[in-house]
Amino acid sequence: MRMNGFQREIILDLLSSIKERSPFYAEKFKDVDITSIETQEDFETLPFTDKADLRAAYPLGLAAVPEKDIVRIHSSSGTTGTPVVIPYTKKDVEDWAVMFERCYRMAGITERDRIQITPGYGLWTAGIGFQAGCERLGAMAVPMGPGNTDKQLRMMVDMRSTVLCATSSYALLLAEEIKKRGIRDQICLRKGVIGSERWGDKMRQSIADDLGVEFYDIYGLTEIYGPGIGISCDYRNGIHMWDDYIYFEIIDPKTGRTVPDGTVGELVITTLRKEGAPLIRYRTHDLTRIIPGECPCGSRFPRIDIIVGRTDDMVKVKGVNMFPAQFDEVLSSMDSASGEYQVMIDHLNGKDIITVYFETDVPEADRPAAEKDLVERIKSRINITVIPRAVDLGYLPRSEKKTNRIFDNRY
Ligand code: ZN
């Protein structure tokens, strides 16, 4: 996707002062002649910023403003060691709320709605972002945070909440409880704003039906404001991204080069307006693609696809990037496949060979047809030719983790 004029102007302006404002980027770009950056192609030569860089800047090394201008910090989870701390200025907090209000509006939520917010509040960014956007919109917030299902449902009924903000897994839990308690007719929900986790379409639709809502996928990450930098619309064909606040690229995670629109790769984000901790070419490690063309909803904001996985899950074969979600999708679209599968990648006689084992309950005589069907579906979805192997139900070892379904035996 081409960088537009507005973005280019802001980025050049950002770059011109970044070394003075940010000790972090002064160090990172110490060997880069910033004044030579003029075009999108020049910009694409800048080094990426990765989570490890942010971690190394702990605690406040990312700050690009005097300390007196920092009004809040957020921190991403420290499950893998030192946390990342992101400082926000007053303007950053406002900008985030502006984007979040836009998300609610995109989802058809108005000041008449009552928004039950179940993501957590605190260091992690989620809850407070949902809250600030809600108040800016003028809707009524029911700020629950996660857990305490009894109280959650009581408030949902008594406050007549019309919008549920939750992760998919929490929405599922609530849907099950509502069914179990037989209180569906006391629930007034009409919309669900759901954090973008990858869930099977069938599963999501059944949670939405149980709750009686329409789901909207919201996207974001703590390093770049938090949730709210993009959301899906009524057509549910991707996530509209607020490209007046962020500039995004899709790169091949192996080579670092940008890929053509429509090709899956890693989402890389540059903040256009962030003061507290501007980030340039930040690698999200989320896999998605730019959806070319215009959305039928008429919004001018460009779209990315629902996040299909993380870069760690990806394997490259014959120049094609593959990841488990694509196989999940193909297998779940086939009536003749149970959904259990294994992909084996081997290097034989100088060639990479991909074998897909899939469990099926169709009789022996019909298996060649099922195998042919699989080959064609994979060819059209992933653009790669595989060797199919239909096997009996229960033949393949079971694994908790989806990522354990692709085995790369080449190295
Ligand atoms: Zn749209």
Side-chain angles (χ1 to χ4, degrees):
M1 196 162 51
R2 297 305 298 174
M3 182 185 277
N4 67 39
F6 171 81
Q7 292 173 324
R8 184 171 164 273
E9 202 170 303
I10 292 195
I11 286 175
L12 293 186
D13 190 50
L14 170 69
L15 289 176
S16 70
S17 63
I18 193 78
K19 284 189 183 181
E20 284 153 48
R21 290 197 284 143
S22 162
F24 172 80
Y25 277 108
E27 173 63 23
K28 185 157 190 69
F29 291 165
K30 65 177 187 294
D31 299 324
V32 179
D33 177 14
I34 289 292
T35 56
S36 71
I37 308 286
E38 281 174 15
T39 64
Q40 177 172 347
E41 286 69 27
D42 298 338
F43 178 76
E44 288 169 4
T45 65
L46 285 173
F48 295 110
T49 302
D50 214 329
K51 194 151 184 169
D53 301 324
L54 272 48
R55 222 173 253 137
Y58 182 85
L60 280 173
L62 284 177
V65 292
E67 217 174 288
K68 67 173 177 52
D69 295 335
I70 300 174
V71 301
R72 187 200 288 171
I73 60 136
H74 283 293
S75 170
S76 70
S77 62
T79 45
T80 49
T82 313
V84 166
V85 171
I86 307 287
Y88 294 63
T89 65
K90 203 172 172 190
K91 179 76 168 37
D92 295 336
V93 168
E94 278 167 18
D95 285 350
W96 184 20
V98 167
M99 284 187 278
F100 222 117
E101 180 190 357
R102 240 192 234 171
C103 287
Y104 284 134
R105 288 192 189 280
M106 179 67 93
I109 297 164
T110 73
E111 73 276 7
R112 286 203 189 85
D113 279 295
R114 298 176 171 196
I115 306 181
Q116 186 150 338
I117 301 166
T118 74
Y121 286 74
L123 264 185
W124 191 48
T125 49
I128 200 165
F130 284 92
Q131 173 92 23
C134 169
E135 287 171 357
R136 205 185 148 84
L137 175 68
M140 183 177 101
V142 184
M144 300 298 298
N148 200 343
T149 308
D150 282 338
K151 197 165 200 179
Q152 201 78 252
L153 292 176
R154 176 163 188 195
M155 284 292 146
M156 195 179 283
V157 170
D158 293 347
M159 294 300 121
R160 307 179 68 81
S161 303
T162 56
V163 177
L164 173 68
C165 301
T167 59
S168 308
S169 29
Y170 199 55
L172 169 64
L173 185 144
L174 290 174
E176 283 171 347
E177 277 302 316
I178 289 166
K179 222 194 261 176
K180 208 189 298 173
R181 297 176 190 209
I183 54 170
R184 174 71 171 76
D185 58 343
Q186 299 170 50
I187 301 292
C188 306
L189 294 178
R190 61 183 199 96
K191 306 264 180 185
V193 177
I194 302 298
S196 64
E197 293 163 73
R198 189 170 62 77
W199 276 58
D201 265 354
K202 284 182 198 161
M203 186 70 179
R204 283 171 53 95
Q205 197 50 51
S206 96
I207 307 173
D209 292 346
D210 282 350
L211 289 169
V213 302
E214 271 178 272
F215 272 166
Y216 297 82
D217 283 278
I218 195 157
Y219 179 72
L221 58 165
T222 302
E223 297 90 314
I224 316 280
Y225 296 99
I229 60 175
I231 193 167
S232 60
C233 65
D234 287 340
Y235 290 84
R236 282 196 285 163
N237 51 7
I239 296 171
H240 287 282
M241 298 283 274
W242 311 135
D243 71 344
D244 49 347
Y245 285 87
I246 56 161
Y247 171 68
F248 60 94
E249 308 165 71
I250 306 288
I251 63 156
D252 181 324
K254 302 253 154 86
T255 65
R257 275 194 290 273
T258 52
V259 299
D261 289 0
T263 307
V264 171
E266 179 180 347
L267 178 66
V268 168
I269 297 178
T270 296
T271 61
L272 297 177
R273 310 194 194 197
K274 221 152 182 269
E275 297 176 339
L279 290 178
I280 294 162
R281 306 199 82 204
Y282 181 67
R283 295 186 68 153
T284 65
H285 292 278
D286 283 330
L287 291 175
T288 183
R289 64 188 181 105
I290 287 171
I291 300 180
E294 282 184 15
C295 182
C297 78
S299 166
R300 68 150 201 88
F301 289 104
R303 287 168 298 154
I304 58 169
D305 212 338
I306 303 291
I307 305 302
V308 292
R310 299 279 297 164
T311 52
D312 326 330
D313 305 338
M314 201 173 86
V315 262
K316 192 167 188 167
V317 187
K318 301 179 193 174
V320 177
N321 290 323
M322 310 186 310
F323 41 91
Q326 294 173 310
F327 289 96
D328 292 354
E329 208 179 290
V330 170
L331 269 296
S332 70
S333 70
M334 285 173 59
D335 290 336
S336 56
S338 80
E340 283 296 332
Y341 68 93
Q342 264 188 9
V343 180
M344 291 287 175
I345 305 159
D346 296 284
H347 193 72
L348 290 173
N349 305 325
K351 273 163 69 182
D352 287 336
I353 311 275
I354 307 163
T355 312
V356 179
Y357 294 84
F358 66 105
E359 291 188 359
T360 179
D361 57 359
V362 303
E364 204 72 45
D366 298 331
R367 290 193 181 177
E371 291 181 335
K372 188 163 170 273
D373 184 28
L374 177 88
V375 173
E376 281 164 6
R377 284 174 195 252
I378 290 180
K379 179 74 193 169
S380 89
R381 177 71 182 83
I382 314 177
N383 196 24
I384 205 151
T385 304
V386 303
I387 299 169
R389 290 275 182 270
V391 296
D392 292 335
L393 294 181
Y395 177 89
L396 298 170
R398 296 298 189 257
S399 164
E400 296 280 302
K401 275 181 73 191
K402 284 214 163 79
T403 46
N404 291 355
R405 286 176 174 174
I406 297 187
F407 296 86
D408 195 345
N409 307 317
R410 289 173 297 176
Y411 311 105

